[in-house]
Amino acid sequence: MFWPFLAVVALAGAVFLHYWWRGRYLAAEHRGRKQIEELQQAQQWAAAAIDARQQALFDSMAEGLLLLDQAGRIELANRSFTTMFGVTTDLRSRTLLEALRLHELAELVEVLGRQKQVLGHELRLQRPRDLWLQVNGAAIFDGENRRTGTILVFHDLTRIKQLERTRQELVANVSHELRTPLSLIKGYVETLLDHAKNDPELADQFLRTIDRNAERLRLLIEDLLTISELESGRLKLDLQPVSLKAVAQKVVADFRARAAAKQMELVDQVPGLEVLADAGRLEQVLCNLVDNAIKYGRPEGTVTLEARATGTDQVEVAVRDDGPGIPPEALERVFERFYRIDKGRSREHGGTGLGLSIVKHIVQTHGGRVWAKSEPGHGATFFFTLPQPPA
Ligand code: ADP
């Protein structure tokens, strides 16, 4: 009885041990699998975090960045690139031609297959907006010198190009403006030296023309120096509470004779208001506007100076005339350097084409705004705002 009982107990023990070990083994195996899964997931998260960090880094670059794989398909395009090219869809896995239809860029990538590096290639985009880009590109190679892709970096040159164009235009305009009075002066001096000096009447007439053109040159150079001072940011304003009424009265008194010569009336309706301004510069602004109103206004017409507080701690000043006015397309352009509606008319009055540009700079340096309104045939009004002194 004892042996069979012992055998049954041993068998039961063996079965129990088998299942106990198997349970532990399975639990351990399950734990192991879970750990591997967790590890893989952690690796994926880590990789994603690195990708996200890289992407954030690339997206923070001011330069556009484009990475192509060895088949020329886009692997990465950062935010600056998509903004420059106005792209809103996912570009990955597409070729440059499919994605952008830009043959010039596709050709550049082809060139990179032959010469490994392209520096300073200038690319002009006209859509979605007018942009000048400088493209630097390089082919990427692995350790065994096999080409694995291409990297292109795009630098926005638009601002530099605009400045370059503005500088060229300025040089061309200034040269032109200087040349006209200078050649007149030279021509009259030569004629005087030749024979006219012996004819007092003719000599007097020629000398007056020379004097007028020399004065034009002086004014032009003075205006150019003012513009250069204003644009360089070197202008220091002596801001003080200034009586607008007093400055307006002085300007009106100074221009009274000029207005009378054209039988024009100067009406001063500026009330007792104060502005926070540099008195000398404020006078210069008013002088330029009143001077223009007399020059381009109607003979026997009226020029009016007005001002009002706008309720936003600003004072709005207006200089109104009843001359031929300004066509709508020129209302903003008259503030550009050397822009004139009628060149001949401006020159005839000794205009330099810089007066309104100076006005705009001075007003903006004070933190104000300047604009013009006109109904052609019914005069023009120039407005500007200046801050009021703190209460
Ligand atoms: P300019 O020396 O030629 O007067 P401005 O910069 O003062 O230069 O003015 C630019 C142009 O704006 C002028 O040439 C003129 O064509 C136009 N303009 C300025 N003020 C008036 C005005 N009150 N009425 C009509 N046109 C004006």
Side-chain angles (χ1 to χ4, degrees):
M1 232 5 229
F2 176 72
W3 289 112
F5 173 72
L6 200 65
V8 170
V9 169
L11 191 67
V15 169
F16 171 76
L17 268 176
H18 170 76
Y19 280 105
W20 184 70
W21 275 114
R22 195 174 141 75
R24 285 196 58 172
Y25 170 77
L26 285 178
E29 194 192 58
H30 178 69
R31 264 204 314 277
R33 254 205 326 266
K34 217 162 163 277
Q35 278 168 349
I36 291 170
E37 274 170 20
E38 276 170 9
L39 194 67
Q40 282 172 342
Q41 186 140 47
Q43 277 174 331
Q44 277 170 9
W45 282 340
I50 292 169
D51 275 359
R53 278 222 307 262
Q54 274 177 349
Q55 190 66 44
L57 183 74
F58 292 144
D59 283 345
S60 67
M61 288 169 62
E63 283 81 19
L65 182 76
L66 188 71
L67 210 61
L68 305 176
D69 64 15
Q70 81 203 91
R73 296 191 176 275
I74 297 172
E75 243 174 351
L76 183 142
N78 74 347
R79 191 172 298 150
S80 293
F81 178 87
T82 51
T83 311
M84 283 169 183
F85 287 82
V87 186
T88 47
T89 52
D90 190 355
L91 295 178
R92 278 172 299 181
S93 306
R94 294 159 73 186
T95 65
L96 265 180
L97 265 186
E98 285 164 5
L100 303 170
R101 309 219 165 280
L102 264 179
H103 289 269
E104 191 176 342
L105 211 51
E107 275 163 25
L108 194 76
V109 174
E110 261 184 54
V111 171
L112 278 168
R114 299 193 292 274
Q115 67 186 54
K116 295 187 181 173
Q117 210 180 45
V118 170
L119 295 176
H121 178 88
E122 288 190 4
L123 176 72
R124 183 164 191 192
L125 286 187
Q126 276 164 326
R127 273 172 300 127
R129 62 204 162 94
D130 201 4
L131 278 187
W132 274 101
L133 300 174
Q134 187 192 64
V135 193
N136 296 323
I140 311 169
F141 295 91
D142 64 10
E144 276 139 39
N145 214 19
R146 280 189 305 248
R147 186 169 175 190
T148 55
T150 310
I151 185 165
L152 294 167
V153 180
F154 300 80
H155 184 68
D156 191 348
L157 291 183
T158 315
R159 175 110 188 91
I160 295 171
K161 287 278 177 191
Q162 277 167 349
L163 288 175
E164 204 177 295
R165 198 166 50 212
T166 311
R167 189 188 57 78
Q168 280 167 355
E169 276 171 13
L170 181 68
V171 172
N173 277 325
V174 171
S175 319
H176 179 77
E177 296 294 328
L178 290 173
R179 201 172 49 202
T180 317
L182 261 180
S183 35
L184 278 170
I185 291 173
K186 194 160 175 359
Y188 280 106
V189 168
E190 276 168 9
T191 324
L192 271 172
L193 289 174
D194 197 23
H195 63 275
K197 64 177 185 287
N198 302 322
D199 179 340
E201 208 175 306
L202 207 58
D204 185 68
Q205 187 195 333
F206 284 6
L207 284 169
R208 277 178 205 286
T209 312
I210 291 170
D211 185 43
R212 214 174 38 247
N213 281 288
E215 175 63 7
R216 207 170 123 193
L217 281 178
R218 189 190 65 79
L219 283 177
L220 181 67
I221 287 163
E222 217 163 82
D223 278 359
L224 280 170
L225 287 174
T226 309
I227 289 263
S228 129
E229 190 186 10
L230 290 167
E231 287 189 350
S232 68
R234 288 196 314 266
L235 180 75
K236 292 276 170 290
L237 294 177
D238 178 18
L239 292 179
Q240 305 278 348
V242 179
S243 161
L244 184 64
K245 193 179 172 70
V247 179
Q249 276 173 347
K250 182 170 182 301
V251 173
V252 167
D254 287 350
F255 279 88
R256 190 78 69 200
R258 286 268 304 280
K262 278 181 83 180
Q263 280 118 50
M264 288 173 96
E265 198 186 347
L266 265 181
V267 181
D268 178 5
Q269 292 182 347
V270 175
L273 285 170
E274 279 204 330
V275 286
L276 187 64
D278 181 312
R281 296 295 175 180
L282 170 60
E283 190 180 324
Q284 194 175 5
V285 167
L286 275 177
C287 280
N288 277 345
L289 295 180
V290 172
D291 183 35
N292 277 352
I294 296 174
K295 273 193 312 205
Y296 304 109
R298 184 172 62 86
E300 298 175 28
T302 307
V303 174
T304 314
L305 275 75
E306 296 160 2
R308 64 180 185 104
T310 61
T312 51
D313 303 333
Q314 300 273 314
V315 170
E316 185 184 282
V317 187
V319 178
R320 190 186 311 281
D321 67 65
D322 52 3
I326 299 170
E329 68 278 8
L331 278 174
E332 282 190 25
R333 299 209 60 196
V334 288
F335 295 98
E336 289 172 19
R337 284 183 302 215
F338 297 114
Y339 180 86
R340 285 121 156 173
I341 300 167
D342 180 344
K343 275 207 166 82
R345 182 122 194 253
S346 160
R347 293 226 175 87
E348 188 188 306
H349 291 290
T352 60
L354 294 171
L356 288 177
S357 165
I358 292 175
V359 165
K360 183 172 145 189
H361 271 293
I362 296 178
V363 171
Q364 288 182 344
T365 316
H366 278 84
R369 238 165 36 88
V370 60
W371 69 101
K373 278 189 184 166
S374 172
E375 211 186 303
H378 294 93
T381 309
F382 283 83
F383 297 89
F384 68 92
T385 60
L386 285 178
Q388 277 183 316

